[in-house]
Amino acid sequence: LAKTTQPISMDSYEGQEVNITCSHNNIATNDYITWYQQFPSQGPRFIIQGYKTKVTNEVASLFIPADRKSSTLSLPRVSLSDTAVYYCLVGEHTGGFKTIFGAGTRLFVKA
Amino acid sequence: SAVISQKPSRDICQRGTSLTIQCQVDSQVTMMFWYRQQPGQSLTLIATANQGSEATYESGFVIDKFPISRPNLTFSTLTVSNMSPEDSSIYLCSVRPGLHTYEQYFGPGTRLTVT
């Protein structure tokens, strides 16, 4: 499983766009990049997954450069309710493959 | 998607005792996992609960301490045996509904405090 590195914490203000970058230099050909969000006292929640280029859904966008050694989760116009821990995971994550969580990034959104 | 419930939601136990945590899913799922999350920390995978066979444990976790059952495709239990204060943590059940599904769903967790 590829190791991931993310900032420990980030601060932002309501209405701003937040970009959280994850490094995964040893990503394998079959690996996907997946992001989860965890609010206090809740289990993690799937946000988005991608393999290359750009993926967008109603919650976030995921940018993956051609070399796939990093990825950036983009949250448009954050609100106070986006305060959470965001986990970047790299792996196959299907079938019998395990999902291993790294340290995550604690995002604090201020008014 | 899958809706997961866990029982109990929280408990306070004395050291040396055991607690069994139940995980119920509203649909049949292929993969079930148990995680532990200590306060302010990330999630640590304990084991994969295999239906009809012994669970597959991660390094640092053993069956004698964390016996797991999975009698069918919608239910699993995790027992924390001979508890010590170091076992105080949140225990989360997680499922991946299908072999070709990459999303995982998590239960609300069981908050365990060992005194």
Side-chain angles (χ1 to χ4, degrees), chain B residues 34 46-50 55 57 63 66-70 76-79:
Chain B
W34 286 96
I46 298 172
T48 302
N50 300 308
Y57 291 85
I63 187 171
F66 297 100
I68 289 171
S69 78
R70 188 174 175 194
S76 177
T77 66
L78 167 74
T79 298

Side-chain angles (χ1 to χ4, degrees), chain A residues 2-6 21-28 31-35 51 62-65 67-72 88-90:
Chain A
K3 178 179 168 59
T4 60
T5 303
Q6 329 172 210
T21 297
C22 178
S23 297
H24 29 80
N25 292 319
N26 297 322
I27 189 169
D31 287 344
Y32 281 73
I33 300 155
T34 310
W35 286 80
Y51 184 80
L62 179 60
F63 298 91
I64 306 168
D67 66 5
R68 304 199 328 122
K69 293 183 183 299
S70 67
S71 59
T72 299
C88 166
L89 291 77
V90 173

Side-chain angles (χ1 to χ4, degrees), chain A:
Chain A
L1 294 171
K3 178 179 168 59
T4 60
T5 303
Q6 329 172 210
I8 295 173
S9 66
M10 295 180 68
D11 289 343
S12 182
Y13 289 92
E14 283 190 293
Q16 289 188 333
E17 178 184 75
V18 171
N19 295 308
I20 305 174
T21 297
C22 178
S23 297
H24 29 80
N25 292 319
N26 297 322
I27 189 169
T29 303
N30 293 334
D31 287 344
Y32 281 73
I33 300 155
T34 310
W35 286 80
Y36 282 81
Q37 174 191 57
Q38 185 178 27
F39 298 114
S41 301
Q42 294 185 26
R45 180 177 75 110
F46 170 89
I47 302 176
I48 197 166
Q49 185 186 69
Y51 184 80
K52 61 180 179 180
T53 63
K54 176 184 175 182
V55 180
T56 298
N57 61 22
E58 65 278 5
V59 177
S61 294
L62 179 60
F63 298 91
I64 306 168
D67 66 5
R68 304 199 328 122
K69 293 183 183 299
S70 67
S71 59
T72 299
L73 176 73
S74 180
L75 304 172
R77 297 180 300 282
V78 294
S79 64
L80 295 176
S81 62
D82 291 316
T83 294
V85 179
Y86 292 83
Y87 295 98
C88 166
L89 291 77
V90 173
E92 298 204 39
H93 301 157
T94 60
F97 292 96
K98 303 172 288 191
T99 297
I100 305 296
F101 285 78
T105 297
R106 292 182 179 275
L107 173 66
F108 296 96
V109 180
K110 307 172 187 176

Side-chain angles (χ1 to χ4, degrees), chain B residues 15-44:
Chain B
R15 68 174 67 209
T17 64
S18 298
L19 176 72
T20 295
I21 302 168
Q22 297 180 4
C23 175
Q24 180 73 54
V25 191
D26 69 342
S27 58
Q28 293 187 340
V29 295
T30 304
M31 305 296 296
M32 292 183 79
F33 307 91
W34 286 96
Y35 289 82
R36 180 172 73 182
Q37 186 171 33
Q38 294 178 314
Q41 303 296 314
S42 181
L43 288 82
T44 300

